[in-house]
C-alpha cells in the first residue's frame, strides 16, 4: 500500500499536483503454517487449515504483475504437490 501511494505521489510531484497523505487500510493477515496449512484473518473472519492454505495461494497468485509469472508459479506448486503424492 505504501509503495503504490508513493508512486502516485511521485507522479503528482512531477505534474505539480498536491501530494496526498497515506491512509493505511487493514486488509487482514495471511500466514503460512507449514506445508498445506495456513491461517487467514480479515473482514471479521478467521480461517485455518487446508482451505485457508488454498485461499492464501489464490490470493498470492492474483497479486502477480502478469499472468505469465502467476502461471509459472502455479505450475511449480503443482509439480511440488505431485512429487509429495508419489
Amino acid at each position: 500500500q505504501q509503495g503504490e501511494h508513493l508512486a502516485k505521489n511521485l507522479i503528482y510531484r512531477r505534474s505539480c499536483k498536491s501530494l496526498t497523505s497515506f491512509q493505511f487500510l487493514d486488509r487482514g493477515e495471511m500466514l503460512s503454517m507449514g506445508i498445506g496449512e495456513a491461517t487467514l484473518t480479515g473482514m471479521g473472519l478467521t480461517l485455518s487449515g487446508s482451505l485457508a492454505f488454498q485461499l492464501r495461494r489464490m490470493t498470492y497468485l492474483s497479486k502477480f504483475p502478469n499472468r505469465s509469472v502467476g502461471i509459472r508459479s502455479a505450475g511449480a506448486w503443482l509439480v511440488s504437490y505431485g512429487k509429495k503424492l508419489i
Side-chain angles (χ1 to χ4, degrees):
Q1 292 179 39
Q2 288 175 318
E4 184 177 329
H5 185 79
L6 173 62
K8 287 179 184 178
N9 270 341
L10 289 173
I11 292 168
Y12 291 163
R13 170 67 61 112
R14 292 189 82 192
S15 303
C16 298
K17 294 181 181 178
S18 298
L19 303 182
T20 58
S21 300
F22 175 72
Q23 298 291 323
F24 176 72
L25 175 62
D26 185 1
R27 295 180 180 159
E29 296 178 353
M30 298 188 302
L31 300 169
S32 176
M33 304 297 283
I35 299 171
E37 298 287 323
T39 181
L40 306 174
T41 58
M43 298 185 303
L45 298 172
T46 300
L47 295 174
S48 62
S50 60
L51 175 60
F53 181 77
Q54 296 303 325
L55 289 172
R56 180 181 173 274
R57 277 199 167 171
M58 288 190 305
T59 302
Y60 187 68
L61 285 174
S62 75
K63 300 298 180 186
F64 281 116
N66 59 51
R67 286 189 187 172
S68 173
V69 176
I71 290 169
R72 284 185 293 187
S73 295
W77 290 339
L78 289 172
V79 167
S80 68
Y81 181 73
K83 287 179 182 177
K84 292 175 199 164
L85 295 176
I86 295 176

